[in-house]
């Protein structure tokens, strides 16, 4: 059960390692295009169809017709990767239960966007966790974990790709563990691995979530930008005169140069575009103006007079 590219890697690993995948469950096709008339299947569905795997696409997970279809496959086990919350009638159906591959080291970063939030929060390490589903989101008993380092200059795309491959690997190892234990592997409750630190959530990200707060430290803004790059992209408002333009920021560089200017103040220093954060100047190196292509800051400066502009 899965929808995006992240889940395809695990499905492919199951197929190539000759597990008997009896069916694939994914989201319904979505309308795309200017007139919303063309229907686009999920990446998981595209892979499944190409490999002659039956595909189920329920609108509602409690739909009696879907439940009966799912039950007819008589699966021993269900694997969930980047999908949606399941009702008990679904996750409790197989004799070996249902496990999820989650892109974080649970119990930290429960939620829809764990990869983004780990980078945004400046973590130096994340990973993947397999756990049995239960009634709440991402709270079930942990089966296995694998760790993944986050370099200081890595953006979310780098971490996404790394965890996608690691997720496929941990899925196969978890399957072997479950099979060897006849469906009852050693698993531990998440409460038992809490070390007293606060639980960091990973809620879904919306457009308003992605606006840069320049009053924060340069390090915080730096992490925020790379945690949203290249998608969905951190943004700010470029203001000059009576014009306001959305500016997406894809890459920044720490200058370690203190500033006493108001946050959002812009300056050009040795042909480099810099913005005052709460404590230091931060250099913007890659950006995109609304309606334009992504470009380097140097190209941006060649096409605009930036005097008396600021961002907020």
């Amino acid at each position: 059960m899965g929808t995006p590219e992240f889940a395809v890697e695990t499905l492919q690993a199951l197929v190539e390692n000759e597990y008997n995948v009896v069916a694939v469950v994914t989201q319904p096709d979505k309308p795309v295009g200017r007139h919303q008339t063309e229907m686009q299947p999920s990446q998981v569905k595209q892979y499944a169809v190409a490999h002659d795997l039956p595909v189920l696409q329920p609108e509602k997970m409690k739909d009696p017709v879907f439940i009966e279809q799912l039950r007819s496959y008589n699966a021993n086990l269900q694997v969930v990767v980047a999908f949606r919350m399941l009702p008990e009638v679904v996750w409790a159906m197989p004799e070996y239960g249902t496990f999820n591959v989650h892109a974080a080291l649970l119990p930290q970063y429960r939620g829809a966007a764990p990869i983004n939030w780990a980078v945004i929060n400046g973590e130096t390490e994340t990973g993947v966790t397999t756990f049995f589903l239960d009634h709440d989101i991402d709270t079930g008993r942990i089966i296995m974990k694998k760790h993944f380092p986050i370099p200081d200059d890595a953006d979310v795309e780098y971490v996404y790709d790394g965890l996608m491959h690691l997720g496929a690997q941990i899925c196969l190892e978890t399957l072997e563990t479950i099979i060897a234990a006849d469906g009852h592997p050693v698993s531990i409750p998440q409460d038992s691995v809490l070390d007293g630190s606060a639980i960091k959530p990973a809620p879904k990200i919306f457009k308003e979530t992605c606006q840069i707060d320049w009053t924060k430290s340069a390090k915080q803004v730096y992490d925020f930008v790379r945690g949203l790059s290249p998608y969905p992209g951190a943004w700010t408002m470029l203001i000059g005169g009576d014009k306001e333009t959305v500016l997406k920021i894809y890459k920044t560089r720490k200058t370690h140069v203190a500033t006493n200017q108001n946050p959002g103040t812009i300056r050009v220093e040795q042909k480099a575009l810099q913005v005052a954060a709460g404590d230091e100047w931060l250099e913007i190196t890659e950006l995109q103006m609304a309606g334009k292509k992504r470009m380097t800051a140097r190209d941006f400066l060649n096409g605009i007079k930036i005097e008396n502009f600021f961002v907020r």
Side-chain angles (χ1 to χ4, degrees):
M1 299 184 178
T3 296
E5 175 195 22
F6 192 92
V8 175
E9 189 77 15
T10 298
L11 176 57
Q12 181 176 333
L14 294 173
V15 170
E16 292 181 353
N17 284 273
E18 300 183 345
Y19 284 94
N20 182 25
V21 180
V22 294
V24 170
V25 183
T26 190
Q27 296 277 43
D29 295 359
K30 287 189 174 181
V32 294
R34 180 178 296 179
H35 302 293
Q36 301 282 287
T37 53
E38 184 182 340
M39 300 300 289
Q40 181 173 298
S42 73
Q43 287 160 302
V44 162
K45 180 181 178 180
Q46 292 175 44
Y47 180 90
V49 170
H51 292 80
D52 298 320
L53 299 172
V55 177
L56 305 180
Q57 296 177 274
E59 290 280 354
K60 296 180 179 178
M61 299 304 292
K62 291 183 179 180
D63 180 353
V65 175
F66 163 68
I67 299 297
E68 286 310 306
Q69 277 184 307
L70 190 62
R71 189 173 280 118
S72 72
Y73 287 103
N74 198 30
N76 305 92
L77 180 71
Q78 291 172 159
V79 180
V80 178
V81 188
F83 194 45
R84 57 203 279 194
M85 190 171 181
L86 304 181
E88 183 175 3
V89 66
V90 172
W91 58 255
M93 189 181 295
E95 58 176 317
Y96 289 173
T98 300
F99 77 83
N100 184 280
V101 178
H102 186 72
L105 298 173
L106 291 173
Q108 296 297 349
Y109 297 109
R110 295 168 176 160
I115 306 176
N116 299 92
W117 285 107
V119 181
I120 288 169
N121 289 338
E123 302 288 359
T124 58
E125 182 182 63
T126 184
V128 287
T129 305
T130 50
F131 68 95
F132 284 115
L133 264 64
D134 63 12
H135 292 94
D136 297 312
I137 296 175
D138 302 333
T139 59
R141 294 177 66 91
I142 292 171
I143 309 166
M144 194 176 291
K145 287 184 183 183
K146 283 186 178 292
H147 294 251
F148 183 83
I150 305 176
D152 183 64
D153 61 349
D155 62 17
V156 76
E157 184 174 46
Y158 170 90
V159 183
Y160 179 99
D161 289 344
L163 295 185
M164 183 170 66
H165 296 296
L166 197 61
Q169 184 181 333
I170 198 174
C171 175
L172 297 179
E173 292 182 22
T174 300
L175 275 172
E176 288 304 312
T177 300
I178 291 172
I179 292 167
D182 196 27
H184 300 284
V186 173
S187 61
I188 58 173
Q190 292 191 29
D191 288 347
S192 71
V193 297
L194 288 173
D195 56 6
S197 56
I199 295 289
K200 298 173 185 175
K204 188 174 180 179
I205 289 173
F206 299 95
K207 182 181 177 181
E208 55 269 25
T209 313
C210 302
Q211 185 171 10
I212 298 169
D213 179 358
W214 294 103
T215 66
K216 293 190 173 182
S217 71
K219 173 67 164 66
Q220 287 175 307
V221 177
Y222 172 81
D223 291 336
F224 186 78
V225 168
R226 65 194 185 96
L228 296 168
S229 180
Y231 182 82
W235 62 274
T236 190
M237 294 299 299
L238 177 66
I239 300 166
D242 59 353
K243 290 186 178 180
E244 295 190 4
T245 307
V246 173
L247 202 64
K248 279 197 173 184
I249 311 296
Y250 291 104
K251 280 190 179 181
T252 63
R253 183 182 295 126
K254 290 172 281 187
T255 67
H256 304 292
V257 176
T259 177
N260 58 5
Q261 298 293 314
N262 290 331
T265 300
I266 293 175
R267 76 174 184 180
V268 178
E269 191 75 7
Q270 295 181 336
K271 297 185 178 180
L273 177 63
Q274 297 182 0
V275 177
D279 57 349
E280 297 175 351
W281 292 99
L282 188 69
E283 182 183 346
I284 297 173
T285 59
E286 289 189 32
L287 48 78
Q288 181 179 16
M289 287 186 72
K292 304 286 186 180
K293 292 183 178 180
R294 179 172 170 173
M295 65 182 76
T296 65
R298 181 160 292 194
D299 287 341
F300 170 76
L301 289 173
N302 286 338
I304 190 171
K305 290 185 178 180
I306 208 72
E307 291 88 355
N308 301 317
F309 277 67
F310 65 97
V311 292
R312 70 170 180 215

